[in-house]
Amino acid sequence: MSVSQNDIAKAAGVSQRAVSFALNGKPNVSQEKRDEILRVARKLGYRVNTSARAMRKQSTEAIGLLVQHFNVGDSFFMGINKTLQDAGYYTLIEQFTGVLQLDEKPARLVLENVVDGLIIINSDASLVELLHNKFANLINRTVWLESSHFADFGCIQRDEDGVCQQAVKRLAERGFRRLIYIEDIADLDVLPVPFDGSKPYTGGLHYSSHQRRESVQKYAQQIGIEVDAMDAHTRTTRDGIEQLQTLLNQQTQTKTAVVAYDYRMADWCFHQLAIKGLVCPKDYALMALDELRFYKQELHWQELTRLSFNRVKAGQMAAQMVLDMVCHDAQPKSVRIGGDWVQGKTLEQATD
Amino acid sequence: MSVSQNDIAKAAGVSQRAVSFALNGKPNVSQEKRDEILRVARKLGYRVNTSARAMRKQSTEAIGLLVQHFNVGDSFFMGINKTLQDAGYYTLIEQFTGVLQLDEKPARLVLENVVDGLIIINSDASLVELLHNKFANLINRTVWLESSHFADFGCIQRDEDGVCQQAVKRLAERGFRRLIYIEDIADLDVLPVPFDGSKPYTGGLHYSSHQRRESVQKYAQQIGIEVDAMDAHTRTTRDGIEQLQTLLNQQTQTKTAVVAYDYRMADWCFHQLAIKGLVCPKDYALMALDELRFYKQELHWQELTRLSFNRVKAGQMAAQMVLDMVCHDAQPKSVRIGGDWVQGKTLEQATD
DNA sequence: CTGTTAGCGCATTCAC
DNA sequence: GTGAATGCGCTAACAG
């Protein structure tokens, strides 16, 4: 069996209170007793019982992470976990698919008093309602990271609009007068089934899908730049590339750039066009509105011009925000985070 | 404050024992009392206090996930979390960098009695020693997933050797008599620093880096196929592509295929060679030994011939294994999991 | 400055 | 079939 504070107290010939105080670095224990207690504790291999402490303190010192899917979360996770670790908090992670139901397993995180606070990544509106209706006590201890929900406090989003504005502005500066905006809004109902037979993510489209297209068009129009927007549907059909090729062939004298929704979309364009014999940047210019990468250097394709969103930092911010809520009952203001411009060779006239 | 079983007992006019028994579906409570208790519990919005239960049951019903980095874990996470959820267990996640020290934050997971079992992903030998020396009680409740450690039980690895054998065999069948094996063993000391200023992963090379090269060479040699092995160093220098191009140009009459360590390496080859004007599969054949993707369809590059490792399933196996250990004191046999051959257009003579 | 003691919420044993 | 009583390991109020 594991050794308790009581065991230490007996072994060291002191009271259990002294042990608790010594272990937690509190005053009112003489230095010699403190030293002796720590010595014995180490010798006996004492380890706190987190459950007991949590019960007593009415706080689990754990933060829950509710995610729709894991495949975009890695950089967020790193930032979040690092910050929580440093603050002495545990990270409890739970995946839910689509709309979270109260009777589902992932809901235990909020149902069973296991977390002091919550970080919710990539959620849609349904979860907001659920939390507001059923868990009002949690709502001001919840941070919404990259979720469609954006209220006065507790929300962190990438500044989609600002990023698009920056992209259009930079392209205009480089003389581009026509943009082909390409994204990949999959029809969620017809997505193929993953390996394990489970349902694919059906929580609705990420809000950025609409936002980026709209914002690019808006800012391009303001400066008088022409935009052709298209949807590649790479996950359901395979014919997007012909459409893109046709659009590129319409390129007359007007300098044209392909603006991809994100790194993957750009990747797909590059690959598919290469198969068709079109080489970037010789035959066309290309940039991505989002990078979706962990370490900067992990994007092998350093030639890609892109707006990179620092998700590690965003994760750190989210964790700090939830800690402020939990520890100081604060209501930290919501923020939108901009993107970092990374100039690569896939854009002609690289002048900076 | 939150409502306890005692509150329910008072409200329903029964004893607390009855409440506990009713809520946990145990016998020795009359049906009418049971119904009434459940009704009251629902009305009052009762939620279990996980800490109290854990303390009483001497088991937290939580499994810890110790990871070196998050960026390869997504598919593992999905499988693991799903299986643990279904079994009613929580998933506690903690990242550690390089060699885990006892006085470091991530070690709290094992230090503080917060988990019933452990899944360790991508660890090197140092952690094995640590656990054996200091936490003998945890060692037979630990599953090593994709870690360099491979003992009699509790280990799950991709069958590196078998996968390479399969790759060589299939390439031989298709008439390839020369292979260029390419990988990317970065010099870890000179890796650029990530966004956040933190140290990059320095836990040593993943064992597969050595294994794949060796196995490919071994099996090729057995059949009399020539192998040129090279290291691209894409993360530190940029000149790997010239070497690859040179090797490809040496292609005389012998049918040659490029065998990439993983999807990313293949991706890099494809991109860089495209920039040089070399198109796949016209100018060269290409395959990857590992896919590293979440959903099958998420690899936009469906043309890539690859050996795909089902990490979601591996994650499920890992979770099941740790549950068997925790719940039934079992010592499940270690396993090596093979790869699935996915035939794409990047390999000529696709005949199956 | 130190020891005693009372719960935190739950599962379970024991007497009835 | 049921209620009273116990203790898990810990923190903190209280008394000495």
Side-chain angles (χ1 to χ4, degrees), chain A residues 300, chain B residues 182-186 205 230-235 261 265:
Chain A
H300 290 311
Chain B
I182 182 166
E183 64 188 345
D184 186 14
I185 300 186
L205 279 178
M230 65 166 283
D231 186 355
H233 287 290
T234 64
R235 292 182 241 187
Y261 168 75
M265 194 70 252

Side-chain angles (χ1 to χ4, degrees), chain B residues 210-235:
Chain B
H210 308 295
Q211 184 78 59
R212 289 183 200 171
R213 180 192 288 244
E214 270 177 35
S215 294
V216 164
Q217 288 180 318
K218 178 178 69 182
Y219 290 111
Q221 197 178 10
Q222 284 182 9
I223 330 183
I225 287 182
E226 187 188 345
V227 178
D228 288 302
M230 65 166 283
D231 186 355
H233 287 290
T234 64
R235 292 182 241 187

Side-chain angles (χ1 to χ4, degrees), chain A residues 82-341:
Chain A
K82 180 69 165 48
T83 304
L84 292 183
Q85 262 180 23
D86 290 345
Y89 275 72
Y90 290 109
T91 312
L92 262 154
I93 197 163
E94 210 77 71
Q95 180 183 27
F96 67 99
T97 317
V99 179
L100 185 68
Q101 303 291 340
L102 263 188
D103 51 356
E104 280 177 354
K105 285 285 168 60
R108 296 178 313 148
L109 219 51
V110 293
L111 280 174
E112 299 187 357
N113 296 317
V114 281
V115 291
D116 293 344
L118 218 50
I119 297 177
I120 298 178
I121 308 184
N122 267 322
S123 120
D124 55 31
S126 64
L127 238 184
V128 184
E129 291 172 33
L130 182 67
L131 243 68
H132 262 106
N133 294 338
K134 301 282 180 183
F135 304 100
N137 60 324
L138 261 179
I139 199 75
N140 50 5
R141 298 178 165 228
T142 296
V143 167
W144 305 84
L145 181 54
E146 288 280 284
S147 296
S148 59
H149 175 239
F150 198 86
D152 287 344
F153 70 96
C155 302
I156 300 178
Q157 276 186 357
R158 181 174 177 270
D159 181 7
E160 300 290 351
D161 193 64
V163 163
C164 294
Q165 182 176 23
Q166 190 183 355
V168 171
K169 180 166 152 276
R170 299 225 185 219
L171 288 166
E173 285 168 6
R174 281 165 184 76
F176 290 95
R177 287 293 166 264
R178 177 168 170 256
L179 309 181
I180 301 174
Y181 174 77
I182 181 166
E183 66 189 344
D184 185 15
I185 300 186
D187 188 346
L188 294 166
D189 291 335
V190 294
L191 276 182
V193 175
F195 287 140
D196 64 342
S198 73
K199 283 271 183 75
Y201 164 60
T202 53
L205 280 177
H206 197 260
Y207 61 91
S208 64
S209 292
H210 308 294
Q211 183 78 58
R212 289 184 200 171
R213 181 194 288 244
E214 271 177 37
S215 293
V216 165
Q217 288 179 317
K218 178 178 70 182
Y219 290 112
Q221 198 179 9
Q222 283 182 9
I223 329 183
I225 287 182
E226 187 186 345
V227 178
D228 288 303
M230 66 165 283
D231 186 356
H233 287 290
T234 63
R235 291 183 242 185
T236 51
T237 69
R238 306 302 307 279
D239 41 51
I241 197 63
E242 272 78 24
Q243 190 185 347
L244 179 58
Q245 206 176 355
T246 308
L247 286 172
L248 275 173
N249 286 340
Q250 290 169 8
Q251 180 173 0
T252 53
Q253 298 306 82
T254 328
K255 253 191 94 172
T256 304
V258 175
V259 178
Y261 169 74
D262 67 358
Y263 157 78
R264 295 189 194 196
M265 194 71 253
D267 195 45
W268 182 83
C269 293
F270 192 94
H271 268 133
Q272 299 299 322
L273 290 174
I275 292 170
K276 299 278 182 184
L278 285 174
V279 176
C280 174
K282 184 167 69 69
D283 301 318
Y284 64 100
L286 178 65
M287 72 158 292
L289 290 180
D290 197 355
E291 180 167 3
L292 263 186
R293 280 296 152 200
F294 191 68
Y295 292 137
K296 259 184 178 164
Q297 74 274 15
E298 285 222 348
L299 186 57
H300 290 311
W301 193 14
Q302 297 178 355
E303 284 76 14
L304 179 64
T305 302
R306 57 198 188 266
L307 274 154
S308 177
F309 175 48
N310 191 335
R311 285 178 164 77
V312 176
K313 207 169 107 189
Q316 291 173 328
M317 288 184 59
Q320 197 50 60
M321 207 179 255
V322 79
L323 287 174
D324 286 345
M325 290 168 149
V326 168
C327 305
H328 313 120
D329 267 320
Q331 297 203 349
K333 266 185 71 89
S334 297
V335 289
R336 293 193 206 268
I337 306 174
D340 305 320
W341 177 265

Side-chain angles (χ1 to χ4, degrees), chain B residues 79-99:
Chain B
I80 291 170
N81 183 235
K82 179 70 166 47
T83 303
L84 292 182
Q85 262 180 23
D86 289 346
Y89 276 71
Y90 291 109
T91 312
L92 262 156
I93 198 163
E94 210 77 72
Q95 180 182 27
F96 66 97
T97 316
V99 179

Side-chain angles (χ1 to χ4, degrees), chain A residues 5 16-17 20 26 46 49 53 56:
Chain A
Q5 292 189 356
Q16 191 237 323
R17 189 201 79 102
S20 175
K26 296 206 173 168
Y46 170 79
N49 184 317
R53 161 186 289 170
R56 187 60 242 235

